[in-house]
Amino acid sequence: MTQPVTLTTTKNNRGFGLNLALPTRKQIEPMLVLITLLSLTASMVAESVFEAQAELILVLNIISYLAGGWYATLAGWESLRHGEIDVDLLMVAAAVGAAIVGQWHEGAILLFLFSLSNVLQAYAMERSRNAIKSLLKLRPDNASVRRGGEIISVPIEDLKLGDVVVLRPGDRIPSDGQVMNGHSTVNQSTITGESMPVTKEIGDKVFAGTVNEHGTMDIAVTKLASESTLARIIKMVEDAQERHSNTQRRLDRFEQHYAKVVIFSVALMVVIPPLLFSVDFDKNFYRSMVLLVVASPCALVISTPASILSAIANGARKGVLYKGGTYLEQMASLKAIAFDKTGTITYGKPSVTDMLPAEGVAERDLLSTLACVESPSEHPIAQAIIEKARAENLLICEPDKFQAMPGRGIVAALNGRQVLVGTESLMQQHGLTVPEALLEKQRELEQGGKTTLLVYADQWLGLVGVADKVRPEAKETMRKLREAGIEHIAMLTGDNQRTAARIAEEVGVTEVHAELLPEQKVDVVNMLSEKYGLVAMVGDGVNDAPALATAGIGIAMGAAGTDVALETADVVLMADDLGKIPYAINLSKRTRRVVAQNLTFAMGVIVVLVTLALIPAVKLPLPLGVVGHEGSTIVVVLNGLRLLVWRGK
């Protein structure tokens, strides 16, 4: 099909800043289509109704040819300069051939329908691209910045790293940043695809293009507007749209060979029948031009990109970024997936799972004492306990004394009492014997792969279990993956075998590889590839980068704001949502089916029309051949556009 022609914008050379924007092809081509239709109609009416002079009719025909064939001629000539033959050249040649045998109107009808088809296709394809370009509109023009003791409005391009932006309810966030003050909920569906607003507190990340909903916040700018996650997403998807899929590349190569075969065949048909069989030259030449039109692979060539671009746009709106049509196609063939455990199947940070107070002790007293003792600590387990206490609305005080005992626990003083938190060996070191009932509960929790903390403060307060919690959607995701045709699911982790086995059993994964170093994960991915073929690796994109790069398809999950994930993975899931993986696979399978439908339909139409054109008794008219040819092109484009609104299973 025709390629876009870029028209430049000029500025007066006196430097007054006056921009004289030339009309673009998008604006000009519909007008040329209208001119073609009007001049064609005028020519037909002048000839049949008013019996006008031949010179006037010729002028009108030439106008219709120039208007209808302008962009096709430019594109065909450009291809010819590079030693290529495309559909545009075939259409122009057929129209010229019709004029040679005096069938100006048929040639003009061909150019009108062909140029109209191009306009409709351009509009349809633009819808796919606009689904991504519309993200640019999500950025506000200005930001309210706190500078020199006052709040001023500055263009977002002038934001600097470290600037403090003031956000009010309803404000769209101008750049990636970190919450410095206040709290709110943020609708970040444009970046992560999450349907529900996300609570943001001090220290949390926020992304450009998302919407602050209810509260007020101050955020510190961590990335310039041009380097924000939103800007990088747009750039990634635009690059992906330019990277052709394997099917599209094969079709592009096929088009060149096929077009040459068509031209050679038409040339033979023009020459041989009149020479060998005394066929009337004009009638035979006309039929050859019909063959040239109906044999052109227009619908065939456009069938794949129409589908691929629509699917890429659909995924991007849901927070699934394919880095090219190749990966979109390949995901449909996946039979095996390897998951990292920590941060992927699990949250990647410990949470309090069990509170087991001793007899006569309230659970709130156990948690309150523990949270106060742990408050000075930066250890992940301490943060999990403090988070649990905050969720219970408990007052968290500070201990009078605090001493961390690496590998064993904490010795602290709180309200005049000595408090011990940690292992059995810590208790024994201080002359304490752990009651058998607590030891039995401790062994049960540890057998389940949990870390335990014994708590003593003048008396036994109880036992707390801490573990990295499994994402609630993990088990359902594994089921949906098997429904999607994934036959082998493996879990890779550096954690111990006992913990890994517990997690795997909980989510329904049967193949577990535990206690792995990052380089050993690469070895396992290679082994799975040899065994099952194409393998996808799902990880968080940081410590899993080598395995993501090694796998046939690297899938980074929860990659919003993670530079390594955006660079390393082939498919990027912006949110921490395992459910996006079955969606991405099913979208890939759906795309493959639509592409197959388009290719089958396009080839079928070509075969039928070519057969009719070759049968002398049928006398297929050129306008009817054009309608069939261009109609099939519109059908495959519209069929591909259905992927824009596909919602999945």
Side-chain angles (χ1 to χ4, degrees), residues 33 57 95 155 160 221 274 314 356 452 544 615:
V33 172
I57 296 171
K160 302 174 184 176
V221 175
N314 181 313
L356 303 174
T452 58
D544 300 312
I615 300 175

Side-chain angles (χ1 to χ4, degrees), residues 295-310:
S296 297
C298 198
L300 204 59
V301 171
I302 200 67
S303 59
T304 298
S307 306
I308 295 295
L309 290 182
S310 296

Side-chain angles (χ1 to χ4, degrees), residues 132-133 136 233-243:
I132 303 306
K133 291 180 180 178
L136 286 169
I233 289 174
I234 295 168
K235 180 66 168 61
M236 281 173 53
V237 178
E238 286 177 343
D239 289 345
Q241 291 177 331
E242 297 302 320
R243 295 192 191 109

Side-chain angles (χ1 to χ4, degrees), residues 115 223 375 571 581:
S115 57
K223 289 183 180 178
S375 62
V571 178
I581 300 173

Side-chain angles (χ1 to χ4, degrees), residues 118-181:
N118 283 340
V119 169
L120 295 176
Q121 287 175 54
Y123 170 76
M125 300 298 280
E126 190 69 16
R127 285 192 59 188
S128 296
R129 293 187 172 92
N130 283 343
I132 303 306
K133 291 180 180 178
S134 61
L135 291 175
L136 286 169
K137 300 176 184 177
L138 300 175
R139 299 190 306 174
D141 295 326
N142 299 291
S144 298
V145 180
R146 201 186 298 277
R147 286 182 183 171
E150 61 179 350
I151 299 175
I152 61 174
S153 179
V154 301
I156 65 168
E157 291 79 10
D158 294 342
L159 288 175
K160 302 174 184 176
L161 296 179
D163 271 346
V164 176
V165 176
V166 179
L167 295 174
R168 300 177 180 85
D171 283 352
R172 197 172 287 280
I173 297 174
S175 186
D176 288 10
Q178 188 172 29
V179 180
M180 305 297 294
N181 187 33

